[in-house]
Amino acid sequence: MTTAITRRVSSAADLSGAIDLSGAQIRAHCRHLATVVTIRGEIDAVNVDQVGEHVRRFVLRDNPVVLDLSAVTHFSSAGVGLFCVLDEECRAAGVEWMIVANPVVNALLGDSSDPAETLFPVTRSVHEALRYLAEGINWRRQLVLPLVKKSA
């Protein structure tokens, strides 16, 4: 497990690898199962385009993305547009993605406990998102394994 410390600075990037985009501090973290992009602070109409541009850099083929918004303190309706663009890009690249939401984000997305009722893939923690992705990998392996044995 790794820990990232994000601190607010006046320049665009600091030594921890986090960047500050008009009130939103962003740090990306490559993990075994996915790239975790953590955003702290505020996402609003002022910085949503910058945030979206930065987050989309991590949409890479065969590498799921977990958008960790658990430390977001303000989330305006402009942020939902970010999710639409990210969802479109991930679909085009064939990449799974998930949002780790907190009550601030859930207030705009709707706090549904049923994933079938949500517009975007939402989870409560990075741990839960990574577990979901691992279960998906195991499920696909179980589907393919009998086919491999039959052809051998």
Side-chain angles (χ1 to χ4, degrees):
M1 176 188 256
T2 58
T3 304
I5 299 172
T6 305
R7 50 192 166 92
R8 194 172 187 139
V9 295
S10 58
S11 64
D14 69 6
L15 296 176
S16 71
I19 65 165
D20 189 298
L21 299 173
S22 303
Q25 297 80 42
I26 303 174
R27 185 169 197 284
H29 208 74
C30 290
R31 309 273 300 278
H32 175 68
L33 293 169
T35 299
V36 178
V37 181
T38 303
I39 302 177
R40 298 176 178 273
E42 301 177 0
I43 298 176
D44 55 23
V46 173
N47 65 6
V48 72
D49 291 334
Q50 290 178 302
V51 169
E53 184 179 319
H54 189 73
V55 170
R56 288 193 314 268
R57 293 178 187 173
F58 301 102
V59 177
L60 305 170
R61 198 166 273 306
D62 299 326
N63 191 22
V65 175
V66 175
L67 189 60
D68 180 7
L69 303 178
S70 59
V72 167
T73 56
H74 175 75
F75 188 78
S76 75
S77 58
V80 176
L82 166 69
F83 295 158
C84 293
V85 170
L86 186 58
D87 186 57
E88 192 174 296
E89 292 227 0
C90 286
R91 285 179 193 265
V95 171
E96 284 186 86
W97 75 290
M98 300 192 82
I99 301 166
V100 177
N102 65 10
V104 172
V105 176
N106 281 331
L108 279 175
L109 291 179
D111 196 5
S112 175
S113 59
D114 182 9
E117 294 179 13
T118 61
L119 188 58
F120 303 107
V122 178
T123 186
R124 293 181 301 250
S125 69
V126 171
H127 177 74
E128 186 177 292
L130 295 175
R131 187 179 73 232
Y132 172 82
L133 293 169
E135 288 172 357
I137 290 169
N138 288 335
W139 180 77
R140 287 187 292 276
R141 283 182 183 156
Q142 290 174 356
L143 288 176
V144 172
L145 190 58
L147 298 174
V148 173
K149 286 181 180 179
K150 286 182 183 179
S151 66

